[in-house]
Amino acid sequence: MRIYEFAKQNNLPTKDLIKILDEIGIKGKQTLSIITEEEINRFKEIYFKKEREKKEILLTGKENVKELSQKFGIPSNEILKYLLEEKIIVNINQKLEKDIIQKICEKFNFIPVFEKEEKEIQEEKKEKIETPILVKRAPVVTVMGHVDHGKTTILDKIRNSNVAEKEVGQITQKIGAYKVDLPEGSIVFLDTPGHEAFTAMRAMGAKITDIVVLVVAADEGVKPQTIEALDHAKSANVPIIVAINKIDKPNANPEKIKQQLSEYGLIPEEWGGNTVYVNVSGLTGEGINDLLEMILLVGEMLELKANINCKCEGTVIESYLDKFRGPVISIIVENGKLKVGDPFVVGNTWGKVRAIIDEWGKRLNEAGPSTPIEILGAHEIVIPGEKLKVVDSEKEAKEISENRKREKEISTVLPVKRLSLKDLYEEIKKGEIKELKIILKTDFYNSIDAIKNIISKIPQDEIKINIIHAGTGPINESDVLLASASNGIVLGFKVPIEPKAKELAKKENVEIRTYEIIYDIGDEIVKAIEGMLEPEIKEELIGQALVKKVFKLDKNTVVAGCLVVSGKVVRNSKVKIVRNGKIIFEGVLTSLKRFKDNVNEVNYNNECGIGVENFYDFEEGDIIQSFINVEVPRKLKGV
Ligand code: GDP
């Protein structure tokens, strides 16, 4: 190879390469000189080592492999090779995420110094100049609880009995939230009751709920979803007020509910705890005012503040496409004031506020903190939980949203890495995780206690094991959401996984493991903590044979004359015998013959004789499925 070619390969100007070669004792080279294999090795050994003594390097944090290669003076191939080893698959022109750049720097012995973008510097400056002016703001409340315990009724009652006179008769718009103004202060209620929406928002990184009202029907008491809601609220660290509803019913038993919930840590104030309980009836309205008062009181203690001396920021609570008005986005303003005409960025899109509409359908010129509003003027709809931010100009709004779109493209290639049992050991060693959060679902209530007991015996000096939610029944979407929002894993014992939950887990990269033997759960966690977890083995169907004739050689020797109808069948493989769509036997394929010869496998469309250990009842028409065990490959990191 000639020097100029070698220089090109290493992304070095020829002149520099010649100088370096000279320095390391390979003297007298010129552009067209040949560089020998030996010299190349010497160069690589000395030069890269020298280069790799930790060196600071100025980066933007948005480079692609090609740009990094130029800045590092290291061939792109080496970087790509390293990324591949780390199971990160990118192309050379694809912008990398900052933490991946950091990783690459570490590998190649660079200390990255990320330069701030002009815009960032300016923003920082501006933020410094604008001293925040904090004002008290209204609490935002989510109502949760078991289905049919009266969440919607309570929300409707609060809304309808607190309508100001001027608004009576006006039709309310469903904009995702509404505000109640009382003499002592205001409260914002989110319209979508339930913990799923709440946790979905949290999984997006949005935390708009300040207080959770947990509704429990006094006649029914604590139900599975009550506990689910309670755990979702707890894991978000949000104060909980318990509303004991349906107090008008003759069989209402509020004391029992207090007792039940005390077992879950919600100890009433009158029993020395700090949970507020209020008896209400969504139907008659009894106690509703007390509930509102308590919400204000708890809100008061939280000292909720908003900054009014900044550009408006808000969180999306709903969004839909209107045939006539275009994309409609509902937000709750968090800081600053939103005004008609403001250019804004929201999610990956942008716009200019064309109209601000309140829950009564009234057009406003501006809206301040803790106000739910609907705005027109966005270019696209967005997902609840996204942030809205006002910027200086439409040009800036467009630029930022285009940047975000690009970044999103990267992040779809590299989805968020969430915790898995497999990676637990590494994460503990790196000190990145100190707590393993588990969502546990089991078949019966007794199993929960048994599993909790097993887990409590696992030594927890290296990592704390925290079961943030335990319940019975199939693994559902809400379990996966909770795991996603809390960076936890879902463990199931003798329970199925709902298809939607499976889909969501795949999307959110949440690990679900299910078990049939109770002790396996503890064993696997221990192994995971010790980094000894064996790879998961999965059966894979490799072929099927149709039984065409049955040969009974003697009582204990029955051979099925078969035709391989798909894939291949393999001797000593695991088999399942299927009759009329049902598995009637599982065993091992112990004898496989083609004509007179024993063979190891028989391929598609060939006839063969099959014997299965301990199975003598073949019938014509049975299907013999042959399986092999495959190791489920380690999930590609970050892919
Ligand atoms: P959600 O599923 O929790 O939103 O429950 P709903 O608000 O839809 O209420 C379920 C049922 O309980 C409805 O038939 C309501 O009329 C009834 N309900 C709600 N609150 C009360 C109450 O305080 N007293 C009585 N007696 N019934 C109520």
Side-chain angles (χ1 to χ4, degrees):
M1 191 184 297
R2 298 199 186 268
I3 287 290
Y4 75 92
E5 290 170 317
F6 185 61
K8 201 167 158 199
Q9 198 185 64
N10 284 285
N11 274 313
L12 280 170
T14 313
K15 230 171 43 206
D16 293 355
L17 174 68
I18 292 173
K19 209 168 128 217
I20 296 163
L21 288 175
D22 193 68
E23 273 170 17
I24 62 172
I26 307 174
K27 297 191 182 281
K29 296 284 182 197
Q30 280 172 5
T31 312
L32 292 175
S33 313
I34 300 276
I35 181 164
T36 65
E37 195 73 27
E38 202 182 311
E39 285 166 340
I40 290 176
N41 288 340
R42 189 143 146 235
F43 166 83
K44 280 193 174 160
E45 206 171 293
I46 301 175
Y47 176 69
F48 284 135
K49 224 179 237 160
K50 206 162 118 199
E51 273 292 287
R52 286 172 199 181
E53 278 161 16
K54 288 235 173 199
K55 203 167 116 183
E56 282 195 356
I57 188 154
L58 193 65
L59 300 172
T60 62
K62 290 184 177 163
E63 283 83 359
N64 56 29
V65 170
K66 197 167 152 194
E67 288 157 349
L68 280 185
S69 138
Q70 278 159 0
K71 287 188 181 171
F72 287 181
I74 287 174
S76 322
N77 281 348
E78 288 219 10
I79 300 177
L80 287 173
K81 203 173 109 203
Y82 163 66
L83 288 176
L84 205 62
E85 279 165 17
E86 290 295 305
K87 311 272 185 337
I88 298 169
I89 298 160
V90 291
N91 72 41
I92 189 162
N93 293 316
Q94 188 179 338
K95 242 205 263 172
L96 300 166
E97 280 188 352
K98 212 167 182 176
D99 58 339
I100 293 180
I101 293 182
Q102 249 154 350
K103 236 174 147 167
I104 299 173
C105 284
E106 204 167 296
K107 164 77 183 175
F108 293 99
N109 275 326
F110 286 101
I111 304 165
V113 178
F114 292 108
E115 60 186 43
K116 284 199 171 123
E117 280 190 11
E118 190 60 24
K119 223 182 282 158
E120 258 178 74
I121 297 170
Q122 273 181 7
E123 252 171 44
E124 264 178 27
K125 265 191 207 154
K126 248 189 250 166
E127 269 163 28
K128 264 181 208 142
I129 296 164
E130 289 169 4
T131 32
I133 300 178
L134 298 179
V135 296
K136 194 179 146 193
R137 68 166 176 84
V140 179
V141 176
T142 296
V143 176
M144 297 182 182
H146 194 77
V147 67
D148 280 347
H149 277 199
K151 301 179 290 291
T152 318
T153 311
I154 292 177
L155 277 168
D156 287 348
K157 194 74 186 176
I158 293 175
R159 171 178 237 175
N160 297 331
S161 41
N162 287 283
V163 174
E165 235 164 73
K166 59 178 176 3
E167 284 144 354
V168 174
Q170 265 186 281
I171 301 161
T172 58
Q173 313 266 109
K174 282 261 172 195
I175 68 168
Y178 62 85
K179 194 171 186 173
V180 172
D181 294 314
L182 302 155
E184 306 84 25
S186 306
I187 307 169
V188 177
F189 284 93
L190 289 176
D191 246 352
T192 327
H195 50 278
E196 288 88 355
F198 168 83
T199 300
M201 285 252 202
R202 208 158 70 77
M204 295 270 307
K207 184 182 183 297
I208 53 171
T209 300
D210 302 305
I211 298 168
V212 162
V213 170
L214 183 67
V215 176
V216 191
D219 56 337
E220 287 202 0
V222 170
K223 290 275 175 188
Q225 271 183 50
T226 315
I227 301 308
E228 212 171 287
L230 169 59
D231 287 338
H232 279 240
K234 264 194 198 161
S235 80
N237 246 337
V238 180
I240 301 165
I241 295 176
V242 181
I244 301 179
N245 190 34
K246 307 199 185 182
I247 204 75
D248 56 288
K249 286 207 166 181
N251 54 344
N253 189 352
E255 290 311 298
K256 191 173 152 213
I257 291 168
K258 287 181 189 167
Q259 212 153 31
Q260 285 175 325
L261 286 179
S262 289
E263 284 169 28
Y264 292 90
L266 297 186
I267 303 164
E269 282 179 319
E270 64 262 36
W271 297 357
N274 52 13
T275 305
V276 177
Y277 281 75
V278 190
N279 291 349
V280 299
S281 164
L283 206 67
T284 66
E286 186 191 336
I288 293 288
N289 281 338
D290 298 338
L291 176 63
L292 297 175
E293 218 169 90
M294 286 304 159
I295 293 173
L296 283 173
L297 213 68
V298 174
E300 201 71 47
M301 290 193 300
L302 293 174
E303 293 184 2
L304 304 165
K305 296 271 191 298
N307 177 12
I308 47 162
N309 194 28
C310 64
K311 290 218 170 65
C312 176
E313 293 167 342
T315 297
V316 176
I317 45 175
E318 251 180 43
S319 172
Y320 65 94
L321 195 62
D322 184 280
K323 242 199 294 184
F324 304 106
R325 303 186 297 167
V328 181
I329 294 178
S330 298
I331 64 160
I332 291 188
V333 177
E334 281 159 340
N335 290 304
K337 261 187 188 164
L338 188 71
K339 296 187 266 315
V340 172
D342 276 347
F344 63 86
V345 183
V346 61
N348 294 330
T349 190
W350 65 286
K352 187 176 174 179
V353 180
R354 218 170 63 221
I356 302 177
I357 302 153
D358 74 4
E359 53 192 288
W360 304 100
K362 201 170 70 197
R363 291 204 171 214
L364 309 174
N365 288 323
E366 54 177 46
S370 285
T371 317
I373 46 168
E374 206 174 64
I375 57 172
L376 306 182
H379 287 280
E380 290 163 50
I381 58 165
V382 285
I383 315 168
E386 294 277 20
K387 284 261 170 234
L388 176 136
K389 236 179 154 158
V390 168
V391 292
D392 277 330
S393 63
E394 284 183 77
K395 187 170 159 260
E396 191 185 343
K398 195 174 165 198
E399 254 173 44
I400 297 177
S401 88
E402 274 165 10
N403 262 339
R404 285 192 185 168
K405 271 198 181 120
R406 229 171 292 139
E407 270 160 26
K408 177 91 187 295
E409 275 161 27
I410 303 170
S411 62
T412 29
V413 185
L414 307 165
V416 200
K417 192 183 152 224
R418 293 237 155 75
L419 185 67
S420 73
L421 271 191
K422 271 281 187 62
D423 292 336
L424 186 65
Y425 179 69
E426 284 169 36
E427 307 278 320
I428 300 172
K429 286 285 158 283
K430 274 194 275 173
E432 280 179 11
I433 132 153
K434 300 205 164 47
E435 187 178 10
L436 171 63
K437 292 183 180 155
I438 295 175
I439 288 98
L440 175 68
K441 292 304 278 286
T442 65
D443 52 351
F444 294 109
Y445 197 80
N446 284 348
S447 323
I448 298 180
D449 276 345
I451 293 166
K452 276 187 175 167
N453 197 15
I454 290 171
I455 288 180
S456 71
K457 294 204 176 105
I458 297 175
Q460 303 192 15
D461 14 301
E462 284 202 75
I463 185 162
K464 189 171 169 288
I465 306 171
N466 186 358
I467 301 179
I468 59 172
H469 173 63
T472 52
I475 293 167
N476 58 28
E477 275 180 289
S478 139
D479 299 323
V480 177
L481 274 174
L482 184 57
S484 161
S486 329
N487 195 23
I489 58 169
V490 186
L491 302 184
F493 173 63
K494 286 196 174 160
V495 286
I497 308 168
E498 286 180 0
K500 275 196 170 161
K502 215 178 241 177
E503 228 171 80
L504 185 67
K506 205 169 156 207
K507 201 170 122 233
E508 295 286 320
N509 223 0
V510 165
E511 179 170 37
I512 303 182
R513 283 182 179 240
T514 53
Y515 300 86
E516 289 296 318
I517 299 166
I518 215 157
Y519 291 101
D520 284 353
I521 301 180
D523 285 353
E524 276 214 358
I525 294 175
V526 170
K527 279 184 192 151
I529 293 174
E530 291 169 349
M532 309 288 280
L533 199 65
E534 298 284 326
E536 206 181 317
I537 304 288
K538 212 170 131 184
E539 328 184 297
E540 188 179 291
L541 178 68
I542 49 168
Q544 307 190 82
L546 172 71
V547 178
K548 303 197 87 172
K549 218 164 174 58
V550 182
F551 303 98
K552 285 206 162 84
L553 304 183
D554 61 56
K555 198 170 126 253
N556 286 340
T557 322
V558 181
V559 171
C562 302
L563 175 71
V564 180
V565 289
S566 74
K568 61 181 180 185
V569 290
V570 174
R571 189 150 64 102
N572 291 331
S573 67
K574 188 180 166 190
V575 287
K576 291 183 186 173
I577 298 167
V578 181
R579 184 173 299 159
N580 300 327
K582 288 205 183 84
I583 297 166
I584 56 159
F585 185 81
E586 290 187 34
V588 181
L589 193 155
T590 36
S591 115
L592 184 61
K593 281 191 174 181
R594 183 120 173 84
F595 304 109
K596 290 259 168 302
D597 303 330
N598 283 321
V599 288
N600 285 329
E601 56 181 63
V602 177
N603 287 318
Y604 172 68
N605 220 9
N606 285 311
E607 294 195 323
C608 58
I610 291 178
V612 171
E613 194 174 37
N614 297 330
F615 187 75
Y616 317 108
D617 306 320
F618 288 112
E619 275 181 17
E620 281 173 27
D622 285 351
I623 296 276
I624 302 173
Q625 297 182 322
S626 171
F627 290 86
I628 51 161
N629 284 337
V630 285
E631 221 180 71
V632 178
R634 253 187 104 124
K635 247 202 195 152
L636 296 189
K637 234 185 244 167
V639 173

